[in-house]
Amino acid sequence: MKTNAINLNGIGMTSQRTRDRLLSRLIDQGIGCMRLLDVVRSTPRHIFLDEALAHKAYEDVALPIGFNQTISQPYIVAKMTEVILNTGKFDHVLEIGTGCGYQTAILAQLAKSVSTVERIKPLLERARKNLKLLKLRNIDFRHVDGSLGWKKNAPYDAIIATAAPQRVPEALLQQLAPGGRLIIPVGGESNQRLQLITRDKADFNVEVLEQVKFVPLLCGQLQS
Ligand code: SAH
């Protein structure tokens, strides 16, 4: 991404008017939390994309960010965040799969602190740069396989996984605080379900929310 060309306010297809159309779409799809909608409205999604794709930034679609990965669809970012916001404490949040940092930016404006982990190092570095540009400083980054979570900062009020494992990693359940929620897509490429798992002391209550399509949660780390 060419940082010298970045305009946080946006022009043309990235202007506030185009962004407001995205807001209407999210509201039409049932997103109702005003605090969250305000944050989505003021977060420049175009800076998370390569310049060639910036004109599509406010369409409600996932888009490529390199390394076979995508920036999540705004609806799904909003939906996952809203579910977590509406179900309990939201002070200390862990995100699995930083990508280019868009969801991280939304979370960081709503939570007290966000920990985020990514297995592809260049993506993590890009996210770090993007979030610095937005002057968001309550974020801890780590290059690691997210199926292990991040024990050092645990327990978390909420964990948001933005890549899909075949089975829920045990470490993520163990790093939830009492009353903590894990929202995670689970399953193979053609059959994923978004699950909301709530911890009640040693018990976990699982609720299946909707059919989704995320990139897979992969093992190990990549340096480049
Ligand atoms: N949160 C991002 C979504 C990025 S796509 C957004 O807001 O757009 C999902 C990300 O999960 C990819 O960057 C991918 O590299 C990462 N990922 C996949 N498996 C992972 C793992 N085991 N640990 C950490 N990150 C992982």
Side-chain angles (χ1 to χ4, degrees):
M1 188 182 293
K2 290 180 193 148
T3 44
N4 60 357
I6 286 172
N7 176 334
L8 289 181
N9 294 324
I11 46 165
M13 289 308 283
T14 61
S15 67
Q16 193 59 57
R17 202 150 55 96
T18 313
R19 295 192 209 180
D20 286 347
R21 277 203 293 272
L22 173 62
L23 255 278
S24 309
R25 231 193 110 102
L26 297 182
I27 294 165
D28 289 349
Q29 289 180 95
I31 306 296
C33 172
M34 282 318 292
R35 222 171 112 218
L36 167 63
L37 288 165
D38 278 348
V39 167
V40 174
R41 183 173 187 275
S42 63
T43 303
R45 190 169 181 252
H46 63 277
I47 70 150
F48 293 88
L49 290 161
D50 277 339
E51 244 181 282
L53 283 175
H55 66 287
K56 293 192 172 196
Y58 300 99
E59 291 176 18
D60 189 22
V61 290
L63 292 164
I65 54 171
F67 304 91
N68 271 332
Q69 304 303 323
T70 54
I71 182 172
S72 298
Q73 181 194 357
Y75 165 72
I76 204 75
V77 170
K79 174 74 189 184
M80 288 170 89
T81 309
E82 182 166 70
V83 167
I84 293 295
L85 270 172
N86 285 345
T87 47
K89 243 177 113 180
F90 196 82
D91 288 351
H92 194 39
V93 178
L94 172 66
E95 177 190 32
I96 310 296
T98 320
C100 57
Y102 176 65
Q103 168 102 57
T104 326
I106 303 292
L107 297 174
Q109 293 171 80
L110 296 160
K112 283 194 183 137
S113 72
V114 177
S115 302
T116 186
V117 298
E118 169 59 55
R119 68 183 284 276
I120 302 177
K121 198 165 189 189
L123 281 181
L124 190 69
E125 293 314 318
R126 198 188 301 172
R128 217 190 272 274
K129 231 162 55 190
N130 290 337
L131 294 159
K132 196 170 167 198
L133 206 65
L134 298 184
K135 300 188 167 53
L136 295 170
R137 299 197 177 90
N138 55 342
I139 305 167
D140 257 0
F141 300 85
R142 189 164 186 221
H143 176 222
V144 73
D145 179 345
S147 47
L148 307 173
W150 189 354
K151 212 169 168 187
K152 190 180 120 236
N153 292 345
Y156 302 97
D157 299 319
I159 301 179
I160 296 195
T162 67
Q166 293 285 349
R167 295 176 53 208
V168 177
E170 183 62 29
L172 301 186
L173 298 174
Q174 294 313 326
Q175 290 174 24
L176 284 176
R181 290 86 62 219
L182 165 63
I183 190 160
I184 185 165
V186 183
E189 208 182 323
S190 58
N191 187 26
Q192 281 172 19
R193 296 274 196 286
L194 192 60
Q195 294 190 2
L196 173 67
I197 304 175
T198 307
R199 179 170 199 167
D200 175 18
K201 296 193 183 112
D203 290 337
F204 296 92
N205 173 57
V206 181
E207 197 182 325
V208 176
L209 300 180
E210 60 188 87
Q211 180 102 25
V212 285
K213 196 166 163 46
F214 280 82
V215 294
L217 189 84
L218 300 172
C219 289
Q221 293 159 252
L222 289 184
Q223 295 297 334
S224 55

